[in-house]
Amino acid sequence: MRANGEKRSFPRINRQAPGTTADDGRERMGHAGKFSVDVDIGGTFTDAILSRSGFAKLIKVDTTPHDLTLCFRTALEKAMEKLGFHSLRHLLSHVRVIRLSTSLSTNILLERRGLRIGLILEKERRDAFLRQEVFPWGAAPPVESGMVLEVGSRKPNAQWVPPSAGEIRKAAHRLIRQGADVLVISFNDSQSFMHEEQRAKAFIDQFYANHFIGSIPVVTGAQLSRSTDYASRTGRIVFNTYAHGAVANQFLEIEDYLRHNGYAPPLLLVHSDGGSSRASKTTAEQTISSGASAGIFGAQRFSAMYGLKNVVTVDIGGTSTEIGVIKEGRIALTDAGQSDGAFAGGGFPVAVTVGIGGGSIITVDQNRRIELGPGSVGAFPGPVSYGLGGSEATLTDALLLLGYFDESYYLGGERQLNRSFAEAAFGDRIASRLDLSYMEAALAVKQEAVSRIAREVRRVLSRFGLPPLETVLFAVGGCGGCLGCDLCDASGLGELYVFRQGSVFGAYGSSGMDVEHRYEQNLDISLGASATDVPEKINASVLTLQRKAFQDMAAEGFQPDGVHFCLQAVLESSSSGVRKVYDCPSPFLWPGEWKSFRKGILRLFEPDDPRAGANHLTIREIFLTATARVPHADTDAPACAAAPIPTGGGKRSLYSGDGRWIDLSVYDRDSVRKPLEVSGACVLESPDTTVIITPGSEMVLDKHGNAKIRRPVIKDQTMESSPPSLSQP
């Protein structure tokens, strides 16, 4: 669908048959319409979807973590080849939007690869900052304790006294001598922190002129956020300063590469809150696990398509597994302790990240317990069965031994797996330490992976109050189709969906995102004020933010009539200190809406703070979101992987334990007649992923290539239980 809503029909592409050329495929497809390109750079694989009305092409290549430009370029070049374009410039001339998501900022934090920060805080704030958990997943602040200094003093009544110019100079000098790459200033006084931060920065600029201080910048917390929530504001500016340089450099290199090849529109970076914007308007915090978050937004689209209210998504990639929740049709957000406040409500779509993926390294500890991850072999050297020099056994190697993968058809035949390498690695490193055969060791590894992921699924369901029998599992990611049925059983769920776009689900999720910018404004308005005062003050602030939004959107090519707004208000109760976010019914508050506005807010606070009457509630901040629509991929478009049609079919044998093997029928997911109904065990094979349907299942493959699988519910599952092995029904 075009941006203005006009529908256009394009001829569907037929999959390239053996012996034909890429140009043949291009001629069949034609170039009447332009593509949307969505790329998700993960820790192991880089996924892409090229889509337009009624058509989607899936691409999967190895990630090059040392240079993200390389894997991004490889994905586009592979698309160019498969779609029959004669050059990259030719392909890009037929592209209308490119969206990019990546786990780069998350990896920088977890691997501690950012800038060395010198942090200047006000008196008696240092210890609280070093203990806080406003960084992703409760990670420790990325600042060395010796690089955090306090300035100013406290009066007997605890009021902070700002520092003198000499004190600021001394603190800056000490941090610079200790090797700071950048200085960050964050003060807390709710009325004057912006003024005091700017004053301290001016002192440093005065004492350390550019020619002396060199390339050491000075950053203040107010430059990123003017929120009065000191912990969140300080955490955000520290994380963004720590990671921004490395993140921005990679994105700018990719954008330069696109410009060099004739692509004029801005590269859109995917945000973890469901929007996107160009690189110059994106901060590092907004890209935290953006690919995994995008997948959860994609899951929301599918849940609406199939009329499902409660869903748990399990995205098993090459490096990690991310779990998200859709409750009553809406994405359930985690608390602020697991994010850095990128959402107005302090939430984050990814509920849990588990360090298990296809490339997870397997070890056995001294107590003969199997450990998976968090270390991963990545794309290179990859699992030992890749034959690229790797020596560490991985989950992918275990699944190969169990019969899940066709050695000659991994990634659509683009990579050959070597079973003998996997056998040797399991025999030497795993089986001997477990006192098992290598096949039994491989089965134990798979069961351990399923058990650990299922344990987290159960905890997430409990946290969000979702009954397992009323919740559907979406198993996505490269390994989601392999382990989905086992996860369903181990989690106490009875139904799962495996989507045709599942192996590139982050890229699919971003294909439904628009351009969004968020703006914030501090306020101090009592809800007990008159029906005239509150709307006037709110509307004046909204108008100021709207003018800024129109300027930003104009720089990205959008006219004012194509920009839409929504408003959130952050309120605080003086009786309890509780803060909550209220979704305003419209971006402007008119006097006639005053009563319903107040009633809605009071209902919001009533369950947790019944004493919070209007006179006890204060509007502290407003957040204005500006949205401009860009093309989306069709949810029901048939997806084709960029690989030839499988040569085989027939049967595949899966190991079920105790020396027993099960023969399963193999269906070519893309070419089989749909809808397809199958009772019992089978394999759905496609170039980019494998789906294992275990015994006892009822599977329906619909016209979109999406599989709905019903499982017999296993009673009395416990949190620590291991999933059942494959066995004959």
Side-chain angles (χ1 to χ4, degrees):
M1 184 172 290
R2 300 177 65 180
N4 64 3
E6 176 189 350
K7 292 185 178 180
R8 297 189 63 181
S9 299
F10 304 111
R12 294 174 181 260
I13 183 172
N14 295 316
R15 299 198 323 153
Q16 184 178 327
T20 62
T21 66
D23 285 331
D24 295 331
R26 182 190 64 194
E27 291 303 320
R28 285 196 303 271
M29 179 182 67
H31 289 309
K34 288 196 171 185
F35 291 98
S36 297
V37 177
D38 291 271
V39 181
D40 177 25
I41 303 178
T44 301
F45 288 108
T46 293
D47 307 327
I49 294 181
L50 282 81
S51 56
R52 61 181 188 179
S53 181
F55 167 80
K57 176 73 76 175
L58 313 185
I59 304 289
K60 205 171 188 71
V61 300
D62 292 333
T63 290
T64 51
H66 64 286
D67 183 0
L68 301 188
T69 308
L70 182 57
C71 54
F72 181 88
R73 183 175 67 202
T74 302
L76 288 185
E77 289 174 348
K78 186 174 181 179
M80 175 191 74
E81 174 189 351
K82 299 301 180 181
L83 293 175
F85 291 93
H86 58 72
S87 69
L88 188 60
R89 183 176 290 269
H90 187 202
L91 168 63
L92 291 175
S93 70
H94 290 79
V95 171
R96 52 187 172 180
V97 62
I98 299 178
R99 286 168 288 231
L100 172 65
S101 58
T102 175
S103 59
L104 176 61
S105 58
T106 309
N107 295 339
I108 289 172
L109 175 64
L110 298 179
E111 298 169 15
R112 300 294 172 176
R113 294 189 284 111
L115 296 175
R116 192 176 194 203
I117 292 176
L119 180 59
I120 300 175
L121 303 176
E122 65 179 53
K123 192 71 172 178
E124 298 180 3
R125 294 291 180 181
R126 177 179 180 275
D127 291 344
F129 168 79
L130 294 173
R131 290 195 305 267
Q132 72 179 349
E133 294 184 349
V134 297
F135 297 93
W137 309 291
V143 184
E144 302 164 40
S145 59
M147 299 295 288
V148 183
L149 301 182
E150 298 177 336
V151 295
S153 59
R154 292 282 176 187
K155 291 182 178 180
N157 64 357
Q159 182 181 355
W160 178 63
V161 179
S164 65
E167 189 178 2
I168 291 292
R169 177 182 183 180
K170 183 178 179 180
H173 183 68
R174 178 178 169 184
L175 293 171
I176 292 169
R177 291 194 63 181
Q178 290 177 189
D181 297 317
V182 58
L183 300 181
V184 176
I185 303 168
S186 182
F187 297 150
N188 186 43
D189 188 289
S190 61
Q191 301 300 320
S192 62
F193 71 86
M194 290 182 287
H195 169 75
E196 293 300 338
E197 288 176 355
Q198 190 58 40
R199 175 173 170 267
K201 183 180 185 300
F203 286 150
I204 296 174
D205 292 341
Q206 175 186 346
F207 291 129
Y208 297 100
N210 287 340
H211 68 274
F212 179 79
I213 198 171
S215 60
I216 302 178
V218 180
V219 180
T220 67
Q223 288 179 245
L224 176 71
S225 170
R226 298 186 177 185
S227 170
T228 55
D229 185 341
Y230 178 66
S232 174
R233 176 162 46 84
T234 304
R236 291 176 64 188
I237 191 62
V238 166
F239 175 73
N240 279 287
T241 304
Y242 179 78
H244 182 75
V247 170
N249 289 340
Q250 293 272 16
F251 292 152
L252 292 175
E253 287 180 11
I254 292 174
E255 196 159 42
D256 287 344
Y257 166 74
L258 292 171
R259 292 282 183 275
H260 179 72
N261 284 278
Y263 182 73
L267 170 68
L268 297 180
L269 302 183
V270 174
H271 299 171
S272 54
D273 59 6
S276 64
S277 65
R278 68 189 192 275
S280 62
K281 288 295 180 180
T282 298
T283 60
E285 64 166 341
Q286 292 173 310
T287 66
I288 293 173
S289 290
S290 58
S293 297
I296 297 172
F297 283 94
Q300 186 181 36
R301 294 174 71 194
F302 272 124
S303 68
M305 174 178 169
Y306 287 103
L308 304 172
K309 290 186 176 181
N310 299 328
V311 173
V312 57
T313 68
V314 180
D315 188 340
I316 310 175
T319 303
S320 61
T321 296
E322 280 81 23
I323 301 171
V325 167
I326 296 167
K327 183 176 181 179
E328 295 296 325
R330 302 186 65 180
I331 294 174
L333 305 178
T334 62
D335 57 35
Q338 294 188 346
S339 76
D340 56 312
F343 284 79
F348 194 63
V350 177
V352 172
T353 296
V354 186
I356 294 178
S360 293
I361 297 171
I362 304 166
T363 57
V364 179
D365 67 15
Q366 59 185 5
N367 296 317
R368 297 175 62 189
R369 288 181 303 206
I370 297 171
E371 298 289 342
L372 288 93
S376 173
V377 295
F380 185 85
V384 66
S385 55
Y386 278 17
L388 300 177
S391 59
E392 302 286 355
T394 68
L395 179 58
T396 293
D397 298 310
L399 296 179
L400 172 64
L401 293 177
L402 295 174
Y404 282 53
F405 301 130
D406 183 337
E407 292 178 64
S408 62
Y409 192 65
Y410 190 73
L411 294 180
E414 295 186 1
R415 173 165 290 142
Q416 304 290 309
L417 299 183
N418 192 311
R419 181 184 176 88
S420 62
F421 288 173
E423 291 175 356
F426 263 83
D428 294 342
R429 296 173 176 268
I430 310 301
S432 60
R433 299 177 186 179
L434 294 173
D435 195 24
L436 296 172
S437 69
Y438 70 81
M439 289 301 302
E440 295 296 335
L443 184 62
V445 165
K446 187 210 76 169
Q447 290 176 331
E448 178 64 21
V450 170
S451 181
R452 279 186 54 189
I453 297 171
R455 187 180 306 128
E456 295 302 327
V457 169
R458 285 175 165 275
R459 289 173 178 166
V460 168
L461 293 176
S462 176
R463 187 201 313 174
F464 290 102
L466 292 180
L469 294 182
E470 298 175 16
T471 305
V472 174
L473 172 66
F474 284 3
V476 299
C479 288
C482 291
L483 303 180
C485 283
D486 285 336
L487 278 173
C488 206
D489 295 345
S491 304
L493 305 171
E495 186 173 287
L496 73 150
Y497 283 71
V498 184
F499 302 104
R500 185 60 190 87
Q501 300 92 336
S503 66
V504 293
F505 212 59
Y508 168 75
S510 70
S511 71
M513 291 183 173
D514 294 313
V515 174
E516 286 189 358
H517 294 292
R518 283 180 169 80
Y519 305 87
E520 62 184 79
Q521 177 69 51
N522 290 340
L523 297 175
D524 187 13
I525 305 173
S526 171
L527 202 65
S530 72
T532 302
D533 289 347
V534 176
E536 285 183 354
K537 291 179 180 179
I538 291 179
N539 292 341
S541 296
V542 169
L543 283 171
T544 300
L545 298 179
Q546 278 191 333
R547 283 192 286 268
K548 174 63 175 171
F550 286 136
Q551 291 176 356
D552 290 339
M553 287 296 191
E556 293 182 336
F558 298 103
Q559 298 299 316
D561 59 358
V563 181
H564 306 279
F565 295 95
C566 66
L567 184 69
Q568 292 176 305
V570 179
L571 295 103
E572 183 176 37
S573 167
S574 60
S575 62
S576 64
V578 171
R579 280 194 172 207
K580 292 200 172 188
V581 178
Y582 178 69
D583 294 322
C584 301
S586 66
F588 285 96
L589 178 60
W590 307 111
E593 300 172 343
W594 173 241
K595 289 185 179 180
S596 61
F597 179 81
R598 275 212 314 181
K599 286 181 180 179
I601 291 174
L602 293 174
R603 283 196 299 268
L604 180 67
F605 276 84
E606 187 173 358
D608 301 316
D609 189 6
R611 297 176 299 168
N615 292 327
H616 292 277
L617 295 176
T618 302
I619 302 173
R620 294 298 187 191
E621 296 169 280
I622 58 171
F623 289 83
L624 184 71
T625 301
T627 303
R629 185 174 173 82
V630 291
H632 294 178
D634 291 343
T635 304
D636 58 352
C640 301
I645 295 174
T647 57
K651 299 290 185 179
R652 181 170 306 167
S653 296
L654 267 64
Y655 187 72
S656 63
D658 298 327
R660 293 177 290 122
W661 292 81
I662 302 174
D663 289 333
L664 306 183
S665 296
V666 179
Y667 295 94
D668 175 0
R669 187 173 184 167
D670 292 338
S671 65
V672 70
R673 186 181 297 275
K674 305 177 186 68
L676 171 71
E677 297 185 16
V678 178
S679 296
C682 66
V683 178
L684 278 181
E685 188 78 277
S686 50
D688 52 306
T689 191
T690 298
V691 181
I692 304 297
I693 293 93
T694 55
S697 300
E698 298 287 335
M699 187 270 291
V700 176
L701 185 68
D702 67 18
K703 64 180 181 179
H704 309 301
N706 301 326
K708 175 183 177 181
I709 305 166
R710 292 187 181 275
R711 296 288 303 148
V713 177
I714 300 175
K715 303 294 185 180
D716 301 322
Q717 285 278 345
T718 65
M719 291 284 292
E720 305 300 324
S721 63
S722 295
S725 304
L726 281 169
S727 59
Q728 285 293 95

